[in-house]
Amino acid sequence: MVTRTEKSRAQDAGKALDLPFWVNAISERFDESDKQRIFSAVQLADKLHAGQIRESGEPYLTHCLAVAEIVQQLNLDTDSVLAAILHDSLEDTNISLEELTDKFGEVVSRRVDGVTKMGKIDEIRQSDPDQQENTSSVHTENLRKLLLAMAEDVRVVLIKLADRLHNMRTLKYLSEEKQQRIARETLDIYAPLANQLGIWQIKWELEDLSLRYLNPDEYRRIAALLDGKRIDREKHIEEVKVQLSSLCEEENIQAEITGRPKHIYSIWRKMQRKQIGFNQVFDIQAVRVLVNKTSECYAVLGMVHGLWQHIPKEFDDYIAHPKSNNYRSLHTAVIGPGSRPLEVQIRTHEMHEHAELGVAAHWRYKEGRQQKSDAAFEHKINWLRQLLEWKEEETTADAFVDRFRSEAKEERIYVMTPKGRVIDLPADSTGLDFAYHVHTDIGHRCRGVKINGHMVSLKHKLDTGDQVEVLTAKYPSPSRDWINPDLGYLATSRARAKVRHWFRSMDRDINIDAGRASLEAELKRLGIRNVSLEPILQKLNYKNIDTMMAAIGHGDLHVSSVINALTDLTQDKNIEAFNLPVRRQRRKDLPVQDEVTIEGVGNLLTQFAKCCHPVPQDLIVGYITQGRGVTIHRTDCANILHLKEMDQSRLIEVDWGRSQDQLFPVEVEAMAYDRQGLLRDISAELTNQKINVIGVTTHTDKKDMLARMHLKLEVANIEQLSKVLKRISQLRNVVEVRRKV
């Protein structure tokens, strides 16, 4: 188990580093020769990092020692502890790889070099130009090499995880911008990596610390709720432990029963995923029961269910069906003493060691003394090696990270083929995801899906236990709609990558035409007119319009990214694009209204024009009225574009404020061939997207059976509007849906 410490054992508050004391403390399980090597590494690190100070004001060496402590707590070998002590020496000092090899051997220097290379993953993500093909291929090749090094010696990954964990523990000393960036990287890459390798103690702490900086308000709120009930919770857990211990003694089962700490991130995730409140999370109060044999796990489970009422749908057997990272345990939830929900985890001591340490449990003895092969260890290493197969499918580092995040999801489902083969998929996978998981060609030729013998949509989300049958056409013909995440056909990055690869192999001119058609359709749907695309080329790192259109056509660039780039351009440039004679004044501290910011003129009454209904991310301009303050219009509003010359002096520059909760009315027109349930389906889609409808009128022409609908909706911004219009356009019989301008 990894023990959390803010400072290294070598340093007490206000005291200098005591290196001999630290070496003795960390070397308890090593022999004298190993102890001497550790002391030599500490002396070298002290010399190399002399004068280097961390943001906290502490000597840099304290970080090296803290990382080594975490590695030692993972029960890794001496060479790994040495590599942890020296993990930053190649990057931050003047020592060479050859010198390191001479002093400590090739194994140590190779691991230090591997940790240094792993640190380049974040640099690759940040510097990825996304669409410059030659540079991008270099980045993905670098990622492939990093993964290869990880698969060859997974201890490199464990040292890097220890490094990231200590950096997260001391993140408070960095700027807010760095805190956010590092926390996001941690949640995207390092926590999922710890999860896949089964090192749950590190995973949980990385997640909690990430949430602390990414969503501090929610973190503090949940922490306060947990702390507020701590004394009461501890009393309740003691009562549970007494009752369970008594039952186990009666059955002659040796059991170790402890209260299980609940992690803030997992509570927050469950609240978000299930849309529930804190009081509805059943496993806030939890105990863990450790026994000697697997058969005793099920015996204890029977006792628990006999003693307390089981909560339906809150039982998981990860012993019979281990998680993808080979995690094994029984989880159940019951109504415990005092009619309070209680989670109980039951596992053997061996399962617990693997759950806490993951692959690190493989090295609990010194190298060369393993008596038998470790199947769990090999399973996790094979997962790392499978990452190498992504090289041909992912062309950008961002796509790789998206794929990694999807494949490393903790929540999994287990479905079956018609022949009974079990397929492991990330949660929220669709029937189309299943088809691509079985075989790329089956995915490309997929035309329908049957779940448990019934035809369903390709978007239908699968559940554990479903039997899935894929209906295929003779020839492959994927749809570009499949790679649009807003439409919900594919939930996994793995499947989307295969579809993108298909379109990337097509003729460039075809992709250019398809990309242009997609963008024009989206601009028309949103009512965006008279804009130049040239200014966004640099923002999106494209050399010319055709290159950008080709990227849209083969799926490397989403239309929504182009729309967002258009709306993110400075207000000055966009207003000039419409040739509006806007009055500008010297910029002052900008007063923030609920909805818009008025440039340089103090607080004025504002209202939104009913002729164009602007929403956040629309390009807007203010018109000073007589006695009614400033009216906010879209910059392409006909009433603004056709102002008389004498009234143009009333135009004033405005911008959207920082309010997050405001809703804005917008009018939408839809045209569809009339059918039973059409309005119900549109209403269901709006409900799913959490959009309020404040007005609907419909009219059907009996001659051509075309239904014309006028809907007045409340949306938060242009992004939300774009997403719901795309979803409605996919409904059966819908011909066109667009924003009314």
Side-chain angles (χ1 to χ4, degrees), residues 298 396 608 645:
Y298 291 98
T396 70
F608 292 99
E645 188 173 347

Side-chain angles (χ1 to χ4, degrees), residues 11 33 62 64 77 127 160 215 291 325 354 373 444 582 587 605 608 658 725:
Q11 184 181 31
S33 62
T62 58
C64 303
D77 55 292
S127 63
K160 182 60 185 177
N215 199 335
V291 294
N325 60 10
H354 279 279
S373 63
H444 288 339
V582 177
R587 180 179 292 268
L605 175 68
F608 292 99
R658 295 189 288 271
L725 292 185

Side-chain angles (χ1 to χ4, degrees), residues 550-645:
I552 296 173
H554 57 60
D556 277 352
L557 177 67
H558 294 304
V559 170
S560 58
S561 299
V562 180
I563 301 298
N564 290 339
L566 274 172
T567 56
D568 285 345
L569 291 174
T570 64
Q571 189 75 358
D572 284 352
K573 291 181 181 178
N574 287 314
I575 288 176
E576 288 166 2
F578 291 102
N579 298 313
L580 296 176
V582 177
R583 184 202 306 173
R584 291 180 177 81
Q585 300 190 19
R586 184 171 59 85
R587 180 179 292 268
K588 301 177 182 177
D589 291 336
L590 303 181
V592 179
Q593 310 263 331
D594 282 345
E595 299 90 9
V596 294
T597 297
I598 310 297
E599 288 276 5
V601 293
N603 290 315
L604 291 177
L605 175 68
T606 61
Q607 58 186 331
F608 292 99
K610 296 180 180 179
C611 51
C612 56
H613 291 297
V615 299
Q617 297 177 345
D618 274 341
L619 310 176
I620 54 176
V621 65
Y623 178 77
I624 301 175
T625 65
Q626 294 181 348
R628 290 182 292 112
V630 177
T631 303
I632 310 300
H633 292 260
R634 284 168 45 124
T635 49
D636 62 348
C637 175
N639 288 334
I640 293 296
L641 295 174
H642 296 109
L643 275 177
K644 295 178 181 179
E645 188 173 347

